[in-house]
């Protein structure tokens, strides 16, 4: 089986090079071609000897994803990409055009086992974890698609696509190492966010792991009390809201950093003023540690839930701001192409016109 070099962090790439009797600096050269030049062939690595290029051609691979199709939103310009993996499974990635930057929402699993009732991805269950290279290639391939001009540069990565990132801990960790390494993707630690449904032992592990680069954390809260959260998110039956909040209050944060709490507002389920007041009570002691993202529910086929009216969303937001809790409404982008939060899902290729 060929070695995919994008499965290797920088230390592993150096080890790979040295074990083959090549000079250690070859790792930096290879990384430049993979992550800066974004080449698609080893023969393009012209500052490597022909023998090294031939060895890499015979024993290694570069690409893990095949672009099946993409759709661009007519409303906000967001682009959703459908990729075919080598085993025939498919995943989706979303490019979000923000006001002053571009954000890429990457997937970490094919499907998801968490079972949140407001999310389309989980309808397939968990099929498998993505390899490190399959996570990293979402960024590499989309950046190649856009071109390398400064105006098209992707500066932000959010692990909010298909899957629970911290359930694929080692591959996600390695992908973050690649994204942030100065000789690889060179992205800022401050511009990378990992979103979790709240797996307590994995969140704790992430902050205790000295090899896990410091990045920002977002947690799906979606409820103002335990029974409500356990109904919406079965994971909360064992990872309770009380234990989750205790853990989040204990995490050491860099100066100026906050933990983002994501709250999907669902009509007549968790969007009442009483819910907002309970959320205030939950957060008021540590309001400077958190910020809240309110996400109006994005409908998907077969869902029993409805999106709340804008007036209810604004009323909910006002309660939090009136209590000095930093709150922002994420009016989801890409809704017209089913690319908004909670709408991504493995696609059957036979149903897609390429």
């Amino acid at each position: 089986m060929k070695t995919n070099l994008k499965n290797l962090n920088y230390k592993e790439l150096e080890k790979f090079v040295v074990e083959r009797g090549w000079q250690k600096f070859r790792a930096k050269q290879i990384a430049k071609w993979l992550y800066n030049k974004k080449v698609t062939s080893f023969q393009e690595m012209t500052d490597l000897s022909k023998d090294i290029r031939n060895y890499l051609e015979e024993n290694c691979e570069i690409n893990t994803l095949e672009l099946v199709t993409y759709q661009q939103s007519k409303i906000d310009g967001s682009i959703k990409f459908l990729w075919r993996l080598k085993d025939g499974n498919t995943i989706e990635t979303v490019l979000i055009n923000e006001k002053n930057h571009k954000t890429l929402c990457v997937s970490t699993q094919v499907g998801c086992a968490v079972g949140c009732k407001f999310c389309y991805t989980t309808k397939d269950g968990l099929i498998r974890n993505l390899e490190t290279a399959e996570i990293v290639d979402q960024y590499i391939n989309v950046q190649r698609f856009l071109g390398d001009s400064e105006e098209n540069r992707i500066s932000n990565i959010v692990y909010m696509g298909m899957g629970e990132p911290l359930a694929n801990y080692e591959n996600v960790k390695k992908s973050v190492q690649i994204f942030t390494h100065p000789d690889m993707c060179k992205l800022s630690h401050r511009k990378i966010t990992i979103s979790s449904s709240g797996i307590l032992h994995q969140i704790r592990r992430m902050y205790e792991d000295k090899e896990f680069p410091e990045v920002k954390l977002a947690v799906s809260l979606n409820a103002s009390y335990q029974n409500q959260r356990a109904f919406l998110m079965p994971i909360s039956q064992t990872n309770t809201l009380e234990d989750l909040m205790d853990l989040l209050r204990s995490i050491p944060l860099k100066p100026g950093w906050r933990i983002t709490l994501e709250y999907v507002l669902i009509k007549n389920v968790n969007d009442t003023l009483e819910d907002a007041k309970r959320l205030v009570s939950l957060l008021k002691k540590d309001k400077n540690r958190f910020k809240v993202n309110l996400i109006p529910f994005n409908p998907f086929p077969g869902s029993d839930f409805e999106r709340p009216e804008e007036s209810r969303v604004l009323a909910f937001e006002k309660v939090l701001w009136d209590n000095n809790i930093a709150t922002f409404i994420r009016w989801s982008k890409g809704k017209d192409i089913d690319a908004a939060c909670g709408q991504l899902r493995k696609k059957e290729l036979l149903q897609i016109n390429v």
Side-chain angles (χ1 to χ4, degrees), residues 132-194:
T132 300
E134 292 170 328
I135 300 171
V136 172
D137 263 338
Q138 293 173 66
Y139 163 76
I140 295 295
N141 286 10
V142 173
Q143 188 65 80
R144 188 189 294 125
F145 174 91
L146 294 174
D148 282 324
S149 65
E150 184 60 28
E151 64 183 22
N152 284 328
R153 188 173 69 87
I154 300 167
S155 60
N156 294 52
I157 301 284
V158 291
Y159 288 74
M160 296 182 184
M162 296 168 57
E164 161 58 60
L166 295 184
N168 187 11
Y169 184 89
E170 289 297 338
N171 289 332
V172 165
K173 168 183 165 181
K174 200 177 291 188
S175 71
V176 175
Q177 290 171 337
I178 291 170
F179 284 142
T180 57
H181 195 280
D183 290 318
M184 298 178 116
C185 294
K186 308 177 186 178
L187 295 174
S188 168
H189 294 244
R190 299 178 62 89
K191 301 298 180 69
I192 295 179
T193 301
I194 291 178

Side-chain angles (χ1 to χ4, degrees), residues 13 77 123 310:
L13 184 57
K123 297 300 180 182
E310 183 174 325

Side-chain angles (χ1 to χ4, degrees), residues 258-316:
R258 297 189 186 196
I259 296 170
T260 299
L261 300 176
E262 297 166 320
Y263 194 106
V264 176
L265 285 164
I266 305 170
K267 185 176 180 179
N268 298 325
V269 175
N270 64 353
D271 67 335
T272 67
L273 295 182
E274 288 71 25
D275 283 304
K277 292 172 184 176
R278 280 192 295 264
L279 190 56
V280 168
S281 297
L282 190 66
L283 303 180
K284 64 182 179 181
K285 291 181 182 178
D286 305 277
K287 57 190 175 186
N288 292 328
R289 167 170 284 263
F290 302 108
K291 70 174 182 177
V292 177
N293 276 351
L294 298 179
I295 308 168
F297 172 70
N298 296 302
F300 55 81
S303 172
D304 295 326
F305 297 140
E306 295 180 35
R307 184 183 180 91
E309 295 86 356
E310 183 174 325
S311 59
R312 290 173 72 97
V313 176
L314 294 173
F316 196 103

Side-chain angles (χ1 to χ4, degrees), residues 5 8 12-20 22 56 60:
L5 296 182
L8 309 180
E12 292 169 338
L13 184 57
E14 284 187 326
K15 181 180 178 183
F16 174 88
V17 163
V18 170
E19 286 178 345
R20 278 143 190 85
W22 307 335
L56 294 175
C60 302

Side-chain angles (χ1 to χ4, degrees), residues 8-216:
L8 309 180
N9 62 25
Y10 197 78
K11 287 182 180 178
E12 292 169 338
L13 184 57
E14 284 187 326
K15 181 180 178 183
F16 174 88
V17 163
V18 170
E19 286 178 345
R20 278 143 190 85
W22 307 335
Q23 299 99 319
K24 196 173 183 179
F25 72 85
R26 298 297 184 189
K28 186 171 184 177
Q29 290 179 310
I30 292 171
K32 175 193 70 175
W33 288 107
L34 291 177
Y35 301 108
N36 188 354
K37 302 294 186 181
K38 301 175 184 64
V39 299
T40 58
S41 166
F42 292 109
Q43 295 305 327
E44 296 176 73
M45 299 180 175
T46 52
D47 56 0
L48 300 178
S49 71
K50 188 174 181 180
D51 287 344
I52 292 178
R53 280 180 280 158
N54 288 342
Y55 178 90
L56 294 175
E57 196 76 50
E58 292 172 9
N59 296 281
C60 302
E61 62 180 350
I62 293 180
N63 298 309
T64 61
L65 308 179
E66 176 190 348
L67 180 60
V68 178
T69 189
Y70 67 92
Q71 297 170 276
Q72 184 161 18
S73 170
K74 295 179 181 179
I75 299 173
D76 53 55
S78 299
I79 306 175
K80 181 172 71 171
F81 298 85
L82 177 69
W83 311 104
R84 182 192 284 112
L85 309 177
K86 294 211 165 191
D87 62 3
N89 279 304
T90 59
I91 57 169
E92 293 185 316
T93 308
V94 179
L95 177 74
I96 304 166
N97 290 300
E98 309 281 7
K99 193 171 185 178
N100 299 312
H101 64 274
K102 294 184 184 297
T103 295
L104 193 68
C105 179
V106 299
S107 294
T108 56
Q109 296 180 310
V110 183
C112 183
V114 174
C116 300
K117 293 185 178 180
F118 49 81
C119 182
Y120 199 30
T121 303
T122 197
K123 297 300 180 182
D124 295 312
L126 176 63
I127 296 172
R128 70 169 176 87
N129 287 330
L130 295 186
E131 296 180 3
T132 300
E134 292 170 328
I135 300 171
V136 172
D137 263 338
Q138 293 173 66
Y139 163 76
I140 295 295
N141 286 10
V142 173
Q143 188 65 80
R144 188 189 294 125
F145 174 91
L146 294 174
D148 282 324
S149 65
E150 184 60 28
E151 64 183 22
N152 284 328
R153 188 173 69 87
I154 300 167
S155 60
N156 294 52
I157 301 284
V158 291
Y159 288 74
M160 296 182 184
M162 296 168 57
E164 161 58 60
L166 295 184
N168 187 11
Y169 184 89
E170 289 297 338
N171 289 332
V172 165
K173 168 183 165 181
K174 200 177 291 188
S175 71
V176 175
Q177 290 171 337
I178 291 170
F179 284 142
T180 57
H181 195 280
D183 290 318
M184 298 178 116
C185 294
K186 308 177 186 178
L187 295 174
S188 168
H189 294 244
R190 299 178 62 89
K191 301 298 180 69
I192 295 179
T193 301
I194 291 178
S195 177
S196 175
S197 58
I199 306 177
L200 300 184
H201 73 280
Q202 294 291 56
I203 294 175
R204 190 177 296 110
R205 179 184 178 189
M206 172 181 159
Y207 280 91
E208 292 174 351
D209 188 344
K210 292 184 176 10
E211 294 185 348
F212 204 117
E214 288 185 289
V215 294
K216 294 187 175 179

